[in-house]
Each structure stands twice: as structure tokens, then as C-alpha cells.
Amino acid sequence: MNILLTGANGYIGKRLLPVLIEQGHTIYCCLRDISRFDKSIYPEKQIELIEIDFLNDNPQDILPKEIDVAYFLIHAMSSSVSNFEDKETLAAENFVSLLDNTSCKHILYLSGISNSEKLSEHLRSRLNVEYVLSEAKAALTALRAGIIIGSGSASFEIIRDICEKLPIMITPSWLQSKCQPIAIRNVIEYLTKIPLDERFYNISFDIGSDDVLTYREMLLQYAEARGLKRIILTLPVMTPRLSSYWLYFITSTSYSLAVNLVNSMKIDVVCGERKIKDLIEIDLISYKGAVALAFKKIEQDNVLSSWKDSINTETKYSHLDKVLKVPEFGTFKDIRRKEVLNLHETINNIWSIGGDTGWFYANWLWTIRGFLDKLWGGVGLRRGRTNRHEIKAGDALDFWRVIVANKEKMRLMLYAEMKLPGEAWLEFEITQENGKYILTQTATFRPNGLLGRLYWYSVLPFHFFVFDGMASNLVKEKQRI
């Protein structure tokens, strides 16, 4: 089959793509920024890239004509608090307009369970997108899921953050709401077994495991699986706004995502029917089983995708190309050059920077900077990194975004996504000079007006110690932090 895959760089898309490739299909990947996609890891004859933003106008012939199946995996819940519904609707409308020019017979959409009388904005938006997609010439199948549990999923990482960090939890009352989670492995099974099966045409299906749990029960079962003793106290007077701030500061989620999640978590998200079980035979994984599988991937350092790596519409630059070239004029720079004593070890140090490894000098100062960033509404340090030793362009790395990650050329460049009165880059490059290897570490800041300049000079004393210490430790033969 010829398959059109939107959201190919997203959490679901990255999990779905290898399975579709293994099944022998030809995949047309729709991407907002093709520079973030590593095509080299897939068979060249089975994959084509299309750079397209469904929030903007596109040429009517941008999609190939010969399409059999299309996956619509575009969501905007993490992009904003106020207008993500409009963005999701616009993306769906543009998608249908373009897809109607192809021979596509079947659309698959991953939606949300929406059986409660009162729905959150998030779930209302998902239902509205279903309606828009149903207007397409192709038949539609909507799979309605609750929270998805898997390594790197937003739901799993939030549960993980809360349980790993808080022995005693003072929680909002919505922890008593019920949901029916589903393992990411089962979601992918459904998505790959349904295409072009006419039994599923123009029907929506609720999908979930056999477990119906409260969020409180999920936290406690996670803690049990991890061998942790946790006490949960519920505070019934906590408002939705306070709940959003609580979730934002405790976990690695963005504020916009926290607000939208809290609004959804106040509502029971439970399957209303299970008719799909009679049509497809799948071994449904329990919640505890999904947690165990997620940690197996984490321990193997084999997390295929993470919600943190998606660049949403709140990001200043949605295309890495726009920040690929570091400006030379109107900038401040801190440049450190150190002789590399052990090339292999230094490269490994650079490629393991951030996350649990830290920043190789004065990690407590980086932690304070991350906390301040959270106070100012930024992402903070809690995003960490997807894999411990691998970095790819487009990855989130604490409060940085990876712009260049080329191990062969010994170059890593990061762009700051923290709250700043300006823009910042951090670059590591190893070159050979006079028979020696030299690490050049360059921090670049382009200030925004007077406030930006004042900011640079206020942190300059810290830069002297932090950047010099970091460069020195990166080139040490035996790292001790």
C-alpha cells in the first residue's frame, strides 16, 4: 500500500512508521521540518518525505495522487491554552482539502474517548476533528483512546515524574476521576491492522485495556511496580488553575499542556463500548504490564520517541533551519578552547550531556536556572533527554533544542528554549590543529534590547566559572563531577 503519514516526527508517528515499513508499505511522511527527520535509518525505496504545514496554505498538488491510506496524527493540545481547537480544526480542514485530490480510500484518526456528557476543550476538539475528517471523500475510522502508556508518552512521563520525586503527594480531587489506559503497543496494533478493512469504514471505536482505574490508583500501582512507598493526600479545594500550576511545577510538562490535561482529567475517560474486540483479536496489555514494558525500554536506552521532542507552534522557530546559522553581529560570545586528551571519551562526554548526566560543572547552578525558568513560564530542566547516549537534530535536551548533532564531524549545537530576553546558542566542536585535537565551546547570545544586554552582564560572572569548568571537565580523561 501507499500510505500517507502525518505527524511522522510525533510520538505516535515515530512508533507507527517502523511497523508500516516492516509490513512492506511505501510511506509518504508529512513533516513540518524535514531537517529533523533521519531518513537514513529506513529503506530508501520505501519512504518519501513531504515538507508541509497543514496550518498554512499549500499547493493543491503537494500530495502524491496514488495514496491508499492516510493517518491523521496531528494534535495541538500542547501548543497553547486558548486556541488549540481552532488550530486542530484548521489542520484537519486543510488535510481534507488536499487529500480529496488523491485516490485515498481510508483515513485513520487517533481521537479521544468522549462518553461523558460534559467534555473538556481537548475532547471537544477531537470530536470536531472527527466531524471534519468525515467530510472527506475517503472513509474514516476514528480510534478513541484514553491515556496512552509507553516510554516517552506524556501520560507515562507525568506519572513517572510525580511518583519518582514525591514520597508524599498533596494532590487535587481529580485524582479520583476514572480512566481506561491503553499500552502504546496495543495502539500501534490497532492502527496497523485496520487499514482498508471495510468493516471499519465510517465508524468510531473506543480502545482501551481491561483496566478501569482512577488516576490515584495508577500512581499507586506505578509506585508498587517501582518498589516505592508513596502517600497520597487529596486536597478537594484545589482549583483547576492551582492544579495546572501544581502539575506544571512537579512534572516536565509545559504549562499549556498542564492546563489542557487538568481540564481533561476532571472527566471520566472510560470506554463506552468494546465492539472492536469482536472484530480484531489483540492481547490487551494491563496497566502494570504497560508500565513494565515502558521501563524495559528505558533501561535498554531504547526509547523510540518522546512527546518532549515535538516542536509545537509555541516554539519560536518551528524549523531548525532558521536557527542553524549562529549570528555574528550584535551578539555576545563566551568562547572556551581546551586541548582534548582523549578524543573518544570527550566525544562521548559531549554526546551524554544534559538529562541525568548533568552539565559537567556546577549542576546546582543549572538546576537553579531551570527552576527560575519554570517560574517565568519556561520549560525548565525537567524535559531531560530521550536517550542517554544518542542525540538527534530536533531532540529536546533539558531547556535546549538540538540543532546539529554530527558525531562524524564532531559537532553539537543547541538552541535555547528557556525564557530569555534574546536568543542563545551553545556549540561544541572538535577540530584538529597542529596534530592536536581542540574542543571549542562557544556560547552565543543575541540580546533583545536593553533588557537583553543587562541580562548578559548580570550572568557574566557565572558564565566565567560554569562555561570554563564545563569545557575543562568535558576534555578530562576520567570524568568526576
Side-chain angles (χ1 to χ4, degrees):
M1 285 190 286
N2 291 334
I3 295 178
L4 188 76
L5 177 62
T6 65
N9 261 337
Y11 178 72
I12 301 294
K14 281 186 175 181
R15 304 293 178 110
L16 181 60
L17 180 56
V19 181
L20 296 175
I21 291 288
E22 187 177 346
Q23 291 178 345
H25 305 302
T26 298
I27 316 298
Y28 295 90
C29 295
C30 293
L31 305 150
R32 279 196 298 165
D33 182 6
I34 61 175
S35 66
R36 293 183 54 224
F37 188 90
D38 186 3
K39 188 178 179 180
S40 65
I41 63 177
Y42 301 105
E44 185 176 352
K45 294 182 179 180
Q46 283 185 254
I47 195 164
E48 296 290 339
L49 306 185
I50 303 171
E51 188 164 81
I52 182 172
D53 186 347
F54 287 101
L55 292 176
N56 297 317
D57 292 330
N58 296 281
Q60 286 296 304
D61 60 351
I62 192 171
L63 300 182
K65 296 293 183 182
E66 301 302 318
I67 293 294
D68 300 304
V69 174
Y71 288 93
F72 188 77
L73 301 176
I74 298 173
H75 302 301
M77 189 171 71
S78 63
S79 66
S80 62
V81 175
S82 58
N83 65 340
F84 75 90
E85 290 182 84
D86 295 336
K87 292 176 181 177
E88 291 192 340
T89 299
L90 177 60
E93 290 173 343
N94 289 338
F95 172 80
V96 169
S97 175
L98 296 174
L99 195 70
D100 279 349
N101 294 321
T102 74
S103 59
C104 183
K105 304 177 187 67
H106 195 187
I107 301 170
L108 286 92
Y109 173 53
L110 186 59
S111 186
I113 293 175
S114 47
N115 297 316
S116 297
E117 292 184 6
K118 185 178 179 181
L119 298 177
S120 66
E121 290 180 80
H122 155 228
L123 293 174
R124 282 203 312 269
S125 178
R126 296 286 167 90
L127 275 181
N128 184 57
V129 168
E130 283 185 40
Y131 172 76
V132 173
L133 296 177
S134 70
E135 296 292 297
K137 293 178 181 179
L140 171 68
T141 300
L143 298 178
R144 298 175 176 175
I147 70 170
I148 297 173
I149 302 298
S151 58
S153 76
S155 301
F156 173 78
E157 294 299 336
I158 288 171
I159 292 169
R160 181 186 177 193
D161 275 348
I162 293 172
C163 287
E164 298 286 347
K165 295 169 183 174
L166 297 178
I168 301 177
M169 309 175 205
I170 309 297
T171 63
S173 58
W174 48 255
L175 249 69
Q176 301 301 330
S177 299
K178 293 180 180 179
C179 63
Q180 198 158 353
I182 184 169
I184 179 62
R185 188 171 297 189
N186 287 150
V187 173
I188 300 302
E189 284 183 281
Y190 281 128
L191 287 171
T192 53
K193 290 187 176 184
I194 287 174
L196 297 184
D197 187 333
E198 295 185 7
R199 296 177 301 166
F200 296 90
Y201 282 9
N202 300 315
I203 308 176
S204 63
F205 297 90
D206 291 354
I207 58 173
S209 67
D210 292 328
D211 295 331
V212 178
L213 305 166
T214 65
Y215 291 102
R216 176 191 176 92
E217 288 171 331
M218 284 196 291
L219 289 171
L220 290 174
Q221 286 191 21
Y222 174 96
E224 181 183 346
R226 293 284 291 145
L228 303 170
K229 292 184 178 180
R230 293 295 181 257
I231 298 173
I232 300 178
L233 305 175
T234 301
L235 192 63
V237 296
M238 191 177 288
T239 65
R241 180 179 291 272
L242 285 176
S243 295
S244 300
Y245 280 123
W246 177 81
L247 198 63
Y248 169 63
F249 280 109
I250 294 301
T251 72
S252 57
T253 184
S254 64
Y255 179 68
S256 57
L257 182 57
V259 171
N260 293 321
L261 283 173
V262 166
N263 289 334
S264 295
M265 287 174 172
K266 293 184 295 181
I267 299 166
D268 289 343
V269 182
V270 179
C271 295
E273 46 72 27
R274 306 291 297 283
K275 56 187 176 184
I276 197 170
K277 291 181 67 177
D278 298 327
L279 299 175
I280 294 183
E281 187 176 341
I282 283 180
D283 291 328
L284 291 172
I285 301 169
S286 67
Y287 171 71
K288 284 186 176 180
V291 170
L293 286 172
F295 262 97
K296 186 176 180 180
K297 291 291 185 182
I298 292 170
E299 289 167 357
Q300 294 173 344
D301 199 22
N302 189 27
V303 179
L304 295 179
S305 63
S306 172
W307 72 274
K308 302 170 189 176
D309 293 335
S310 62
I311 299 179
N312 59 50
T313 52
E314 271 191 341
T315 303
K316 188 168 185 178
Y317 295 112
S318 60
H319 280 63
L320 301 186
D321 290 344
K322 295 182 179 179
V323 290
L324 188 59
K325 187 175 181 180
V326 181
E328 293 294 329
F329 300 102
T331 63
F332 297 108
K333 291 183 182 289
D334 183 290
I335 301 175
R336 308 285 166 172
R337 289 169 55 84
K338 304 288 182 181
E339 182 181 347
V340 175
L341 303 177
N342 184 311
L343 181 62
H344 177 74
E345 190 163 346
T346 298
I347 291 174
N348 285 341
N349 285 341
I350 294 171
W351 251 251
S352 64
I353 204 166
D356 293 336
T357 302
W359 291 85
F360 285 82
Y361 187 80
N363 283 332
W364 62 278
L365 284 175
W366 289 92
T367 301
I368 291 173
R369 183 63 183 88
F371 176 74
L372 293 175
D373 191 54
K374 276 277 190 179
L375 287 179
W376 294 332
V379 296
L381 281 178
R382 289 199 181 101
R383 289 192 308 185
R385 50 183 293 159
T386 303
N387 294 293
R388 287 191 295 269
H389 303 296
E390 292 184 13
I391 302 177
K392 303 184 298 295
D395 283 359
L397 186 60
D398 290 336
F399 44 42
W400 303 90
R401 180 72 58 179
V402 180
I403 306 301
V404 176
N406 192 321
K407 232 175 184 179
E408 290 183 2
K409 294 185 178 179
M410 300 181 289
R411 182 174 178 235
L412 175 68
M413 185 165 72
L414 313 175
Y415 177 75
E417 290 187 332
M418 66 192 84
K419 294 291 184 178
L420 286 170
E423 298 172 90
W425 291 259
L426 182 59
E427 184 174 4
F428 307 90
E429 187 171 21
I430 298 175
T431 55
Q432 196 168 11
E433 302 175 17
N434 300 321
K436 297 180 179 179
Y437 286 103
I438 303 296
L439 168 66
T440 302
Q441 173 189 287
T442 307
T444 304
F445 180 68
R446 179 162 63 183
N448 184 8
L450 178 61
L451 181 61
R453 286 168 171 78
L454 291 175
Y455 170 82
W456 175 263
Y457 288 116
S458 68
V459 298
L460 199 57
F462 298 102
H463 284 177
F464 177 80
F465 294 105
V466 172
F467 288 139
D468 190 71
M470 181 168 61
S472 297
N473 282 334
L474 284 172
V475 299
K476 281 185 178 178
E477 288 193 83
K478 290 186 178 180
Q479 180 58 46
R480 293 186 179 86
I481 304 174

